[in-house]
């Protein structure tokens, strides 16, 4: 039986590897209230990238005496097992979670997951210029320390509660039904899509000379492959949509600035 209505979660990583989590924050909600908070600094046992440090401010010296994920996993597992997890761009955070579980052969939790990015795109459509977490927090006038895992998780909680009030629904299950969204399911061998992805045509029509899955470490090749499909099909996507699609398909974790250098499509 679930202890909470939902738990918001956010990971920060030391480098581009999904297994390099250096912090994670959880906000546990029930009956519209926060009933529990947890924040962990983690020693990823991997090198820190300067770009990542510039984003979240965590260095290898900050975590040198902090626990490894497997040392606190029993506590985290007992917290999240059987619960609904919520994250902003949930595919990334759930990909990190799954990668850590696989790397360290940890007990696999039974969880469903929701995405505040998708909720924001419906609820705040035409009200904000983009749906990045710091943009939403400013719009909602929520105090926010962007890329602090606990603060990011708190903004996700605020999004859920604000949108529940907007649509006058009782809980997150009702909210997802009202918005015609489908919760994702974290599985050991795959992800079930949490919502209909509009851009499946990208992967159906990919030219033979572009092999996305052999280009996982080459974000520009992935980008160029997507642009090729867009040009051949006469469709268009903006930078945020391309980035979200790449992350949603768990192809690569990289800085959106890589795409911004190319300009709008």
């Amino acid at each position: 039986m679930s202890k909470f209505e939902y738990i918001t979660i956010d990971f920060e990583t030391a480098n581009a590897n999904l297994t390099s989590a250096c912090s994670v924050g959880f906000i546990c909600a029930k009956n519209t209230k926060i009933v529990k908070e947890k924040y962990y600094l983690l020693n990823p046992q991997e090198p820190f990238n300067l770009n990542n440090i510039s984003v979240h401010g965590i260095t290898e010296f900050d975590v040198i005496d902090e626990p490894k994920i497997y040392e606190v996993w029993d506590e985290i597992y007992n917290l999240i097992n059987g619960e609904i997890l919520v994250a902003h761009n949930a595919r990334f955070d759930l990909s990190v979670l799954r990668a850590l579980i696989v790397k360290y052969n940890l007990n696999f939790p039974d969880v469903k997951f929701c995405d505040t990015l998708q909720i924001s795109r419906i609820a705040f459509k035409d009200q904000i210029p983009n749906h990045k977490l710091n943009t939403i927090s400013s719009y909602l006038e929520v105090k926010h320390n962007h890329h602090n895992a606990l603060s990011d998780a708190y903004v996700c909680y605020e999004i859920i509660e604000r949108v529940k009030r907007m649509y006058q629904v009782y809980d997150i299950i009702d909210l997802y039904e009202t918005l015609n969204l489908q919760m994702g399911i974290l599985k050991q061998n795959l992800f079930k899509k949490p919502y209909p992805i509009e851009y499946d045509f990208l992967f159906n029509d990919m030219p033979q000379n572009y092999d996305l899955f052999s280009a996982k470490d080459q974000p520009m090749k992935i980008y160029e492959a997507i642009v090729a499909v867009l040009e051949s099909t006469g469709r268009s996507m903006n930078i945020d949509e391309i980035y979200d699609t790449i992350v949603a398909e768990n192809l690569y974790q990289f800085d959106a600035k890589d795409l911004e250098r190319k300009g709008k499509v």
Side-chain angles (χ1 to χ4, degrees):
M1 183 177 178
S2 299
K3 302 179 290 293
F4 313 106
E5 180 188 335
Y6 62 87
I7 300 173
T8 60
I9 179 174
D10 183 79
F11 278 103
E12 299 297 327
T13 57
N15 57 54
N17 297 331
L18 294 172
T19 54
S20 69
C22 57
S23 70
V24 60
F26 301 95
I27 298 286
C28 306
K30 187 174 184 178
N31 298 327
T32 76
K33 305 296 183 184
I34 295 175
V35 295
K36 189 170 187 176
E37 299 180 7
K38 292 293 294 185
Y39 176 73
Y40 298 90
L41 281 173
L42 301 169
N43 185 339
Q45 302 180 94
E46 294 189 25
F48 277 72
N49 183 286
L50 288 177
N51 289 334
N52 292 63
I53 292 173
S54 69
V55 169
H56 51 59
I58 301 171
T59 71
E60 58 186 312
F61 302 105
D62 295 319
V63 300
I64 193 168
D65 294 321
E66 298 297 335
K68 288 77 172 178
I69 184 68
Y70 55 81
E71 293 176 329
V72 293
W73 182 247
D74 283 349
E75 185 175 343
I76 292 174
Y77 177 89
N78 290 333
L79 181 70
I80 68 174
N81 188 44
E83 304 293 342
I84 297 172
L85 299 184
V86 180
H88 200 71
N89 197 6
R91 285 284 175 145
F92 168 72
D93 295 281
L94 273 294
S95 293
V96 172
L97 180 63
R98 183 181 179 278
L100 292 169
I101 292 169
V102 171
K103 178 178 180 179
Y104 295 109
N105 194 27
L106 304 172
N107 290 336
F108 210 94
D110 175 19
V111 298
K112 295 180 180 180
F113 61 94
C114 300
D115 195 335
T116 51
L117 177 60
Q118 295 303 310
I119 292 171
S120 174
R121 283 178 170 162
I122 296 171
F124 306 137
K125 183 181 179 181
D126 302 325
Q127 298 178 49
I128 50 180
N130 60 63
H131 297 274
K132 297 176 182 178
L133 205 56
N134 56 333
T135 301
I136 300 170
S137 64
S138 296
Y139 174 69
L140 297 179
E141 298 183 337
V142 174
K143 187 177 180 181
H144 181 206
N145 180 8
H146 197 203
H147 293 298
N148 171 278
L150 189 61
S151 184
D152 284 358
Y154 175 74
V155 176
C156 291
Y157 156 79
E158 285 285 351
I159 293 170
I160 295 295
E161 294 304 323
R162 299 289 184 94
V163 178
K164 279 167 58 180
R165 292 197 294 272
M166 284 174 59
Y167 286 87
Q168 298 182 325
V169 296
Y170 176 73
D171 61 21
I172 194 168
I173 296 175
D174 290 340
L175 178 61
Y176 249 52
E177 290 178 355
T178 299
L179 299 179
N180 197 29
L181 294 172
Q182 181 182 353
M183 291 187 186
I185 301 172
L186 182 65
K187 295 186 177 182
Q188 286 183 274
N189 58 342
L190 54 82
F191 279 110
K192 179 180 177 183
K193 291 181 180 179
Y195 45 80
I197 293 181
E198 299 175 37
Y199 307 119
D200 281 342
F201 72 89
L202 289 171
F203 307 98
N204 296 332
D205 299 335
M206 191 64 61
Q208 290 298 313
N209 59 321
Y210 288 103
D211 184 352
L212 284 185
F213 295 95
S214 67
K216 287 185 179 180
D217 296 325
Q218 303 173 58
M220 283 300 97
K221 283 191 173 294
I222 296 172
Y223 174 87
E224 289 164 2
I226 289 178
V227 170
V229 174
L230 294 174
E231 291 176 346
S232 67
T233 60
R235 306 195 192 202
S236 64
M237 295 167 65
N238 64 35
I239 292 299
D240 285 340
E241 289 170 331
I242 293 177
Y243 173 71
D244 292 340
T245 302
I246 292 171
V247 175
E249 290 297 328
N250 195 22
L251 297 176
Y252 192 84
Q253 177 201 348
F254 62 95
D255 195 319
K257 289 180 181 178
D258 288 335
L259 295 183
E260 289 169 3
R261 296 189 189 102
K262 290 281 188 176
K264 296 289 182 179
V265 177

